[in-house]
Amino acid sequence: MIKTAGLFLFLLLKILGWILLALLLAFLVALVLIAFVPVRYQAQFQNERNMGREEKNPVKNLQVLANVSWLFHFIHVSVNYGPQGFASSLHLAGIDLLKLFAWFTKRKKHKKKADMPAVGQPDTSSGHDLGKQLDGEHPNTGKQPDRTGHQRTGQQGDIAGNQSVGQNATRNMKEDGVKQGHTPTDSKANTPGVQPESQEASAQTAKKKKKPHKKSKKQLKYNKKEKAASLREKVGRLHNEWKDGANRNAVSHVWREICLLIRSYKPRKLKADITFSLSDPALTGAVLGLISLLPQVYRYPCKVLPDFTSDQIYIEGELMVKGKVTVFVFLLGLLRLIRDRSFMRAFRKLAGRAS
């Protein structure tokens, strides 16, 4: 018996150990996938020219389509915006979660409607019980009650009936007064216990409370001076912090890491075919000169054509952007910042001041 119990415990511990090992391996695999598998994004912009002269919005027909996917479209998010409206979808392993959620909500609503009783159906049980009570029988047992108890209940019922009749009469009088144009405030004013002077005084105090307190010109000037003084103090504090060499090194290190992130997360593919006009040849040429300063125009297949002859503001064409984001690059930059002594010293100073 002892041997069998020991073998059973050994097998149970062995199974639990294998389960824990499988969970640990699954957790490590998930961490590796999240860190090293990139999140891919794609955005596409399309716009058509408005041919009407009265139309002043050049991007009225703009249509935006954005897609974000991870792990061979295991998780896929798409967003579509255009003249027809806004639409989005979230797929997990090929299943549209938004549609699934909408289906569950509709099913719950149908269940609630089915559980609720119909409004037009009469309650037959209440009428049957009422007939039994009129015959002198109990609605549940069907037995005749005692005569003395019947007389007492009859007297109590007469008293309750008189009270209900009085309540119905007062209610009818109130309804008649409302129909004739009397308001509840008039009835309160006509009562001998409430005086009209006290009502006027309470209304005036309520109006005073509702009105916001207007500040004088001196108070406004004083508040402006206080704000200006606090702003100068903050600017002076920032200037003193910038003078410190350790803070400068920390800021330069942070800026370097931000530039590395932008370089790794920037679009890998860019394609553009755009025609635009600003209704003024000078402005159109200035914007074209600014666009020509961008290095992406020469690195990727981008085609930008200005229209100097049109007297209407418009932009038409297509722009497509593709890229990827890797979590490991962000974690590596964060680790480099944590190892930097100047950054950690500045971070501890800011954390101590905030606390």
Side-chain angles (χ1 to χ4, degrees), residues 202-215:
S202 61
Q204 288 178 0
T205 53
K207 286 181 181 179
K208 287 180 181 179
K209 287 180 180 178
K210 287 181 181 179
K211 287 182 178 179
H213 180 67
K214 293 183 179 180
K215 294 181 179 180

Side-chain angles (χ1 to χ4, degrees), residues 237-271:
R237 199 178 294 169
L238 286 173
H239 184 66
N240 293 330
E241 293 291 341
W242 180 251
K243 286 181 179 179
D244 192 359
N247 294 336
R248 283 187 181 181
N249 292 331
V251 171
S252 64
H253 199 171
V254 170
W255 178 251
R256 196 185 311 123
E257 294 298 331
I258 290 171
C259 291
L260 288 173
L261 281 177
I262 292 171
R263 191 181 300 171
S264 62
Y265 294 163
K266 69 180 180 180
R268 300 296 177 93
K269 290 183 180 180
L270 192 145
K271 186 179 180 182

Side-chain angles (χ1 to χ4, degrees), residues 132-292:
K132 283 187 175 182
Q133 288 177 4
L134 291 173
D135 294 337
E137 297 180 0
H138 196 273
N140 295 325
T141 59
K143 295 180 180 180
Q144 294 283 343
D146 296 335
R147 293 294 179 184
T148 57
H150 183 67
Q151 291 175 359
R152 288 175 187 171
T153 54
Q155 292 175 1
Q156 292 175 359
D158 294 336
I159 294 168
N162 293 329
Q163 290 178 357
S164 63
V165 168
Q167 291 177 358
N168 292 328
T170 54
R171 193 180 299 161
N172 293 328
M173 288 171 68
K174 287 181 181 179
E175 290 177 357
D176 293 336
V178 171
K179 289 178 181 178
Q180 292 175 5
H182 298 289
T183 57
T185 55
D186 296 336
S187 62
K188 287 182 181 179
N190 293 326
T191 53
V194 181
Q195 296 179 1
E197 295 178 357
S198 62
Q199 288 182 354
E200 291 178 359
S202 61
Q204 288 178 0
T205 53
K207 286 181 181 179
K208 287 180 181 179
K209 287 180 180 178
K210 287 181 181 179
K211 287 182 178 179
H213 180 67
K214 293 183 179 180
K215 294 181 179 180
S216 62
K217 292 182 179 180
K218 291 183 179 180
Q219 288 179 349
L220 291 172
K221 287 182 180 179
Y222 184 71
N223 291 333
K224 287 181 180 178
K225 288 180 180 179
E226 279 188 347
K227 288 180 181 178
S230 63
L231 185 62
R232 286 173 195 161
E233 187 179 354
K234 288 178 181 179
V235 170
R237 199 178 294 169
L238 286 173
H239 184 66
N240 293 330
E241 293 291 341
W242 180 251
K243 286 181 179 179
D244 192 359
N247 294 336
R248 283 187 181 181
N249 292 331
V251 171
S252 64
H253 199 171
V254 170
W255 178 251
R256 196 185 311 123
E257 294 298 331
I258 290 171
C259 291
L260 288 173
L261 281 177
I262 292 171
R263 191 181 300 171
S264 62
Y265 294 163
K266 69 180 180 180
R268 300 296 177 93
K269 290 183 180 180
L270 192 145
K271 186 179 180 182
D273 187 2
I274 299 169
T275 305
F276 73 98
S277 173
L278 297 178
S279 73
D280 187 3
L283 288 175
T284 305
V287 171
L288 182 64
L290 292 173
I291 293 171
S292 62

Side-chain angles (χ1 to χ4, degrees), residues 17-154:
W18 280 110
I19 291 170
L20 289 174
L21 182 62
L23 290 174
L24 182 62
L25 287 174
F27 180 70
L28 290 174
V29 169
L31 282 179
V32 170
L33 290 174
I34 291 169
F36 291 99
V37 176
V39 178
R40 301 184 183 275
Y41 64 89
Q42 179 181 355
Q44 190 172 359
F45 304 89
Q46 290 180 353
N47 191 33
E48 294 179 359
R49 182 179 177 181
N50 296 320
M51 301 305 294
R53 291 281 181 181
E54 297 179 356
E55 197 64 46
K56 295 182 179 180
N57 189 6
V59 291
K60 185 180 179 180
N61 299 324
L62 178 65
Q63 189 165 0
V64 181
L65 177 63
N67 295 316
V68 179
S69 62
W70 179 73
L71 194 62
F72 304 105
H73 291 268
F74 181 76
I75 298 174
H76 181 75
V77 182
S78 65
V79 177
N80 189 2
Y81 174 77
Q84 294 82 13
F86 178 81
S88 62
S89 64
L90 173 62
H91 290 82
L92 179 65
I95 301 169
D96 196 345
L97 296 181
L98 297 179
K99 287 184 180 179
L100 189 65
F101 180 72
W103 181 76
F104 273 116
T105 52
K106 284 183 181 179
R107 191 176 178 185
K108 284 183 180 179
K109 286 181 181 179
H110 286 306
K111 280 187 178 180
K112 286 181 180 179
K113 286 181 181 179
D115 293 338
M116 290 176 67
V119 178
Q121 292 180 357
D123 194 358
T124 57
S125 62
S126 61
H128 183 65
D129 294 341
L130 183 61
K132 283 187 175 182
Q133 288 177 4
L134 291 173
D135 294 337
E137 297 180 0
H138 196 273
N140 295 325
T141 59
K143 295 180 180 180
Q144 294 283 343
D146 296 335
R147 293 294 179 184
T148 57
H150 183 67
Q151 291 175 359
R152 288 175 187 171
T153 54

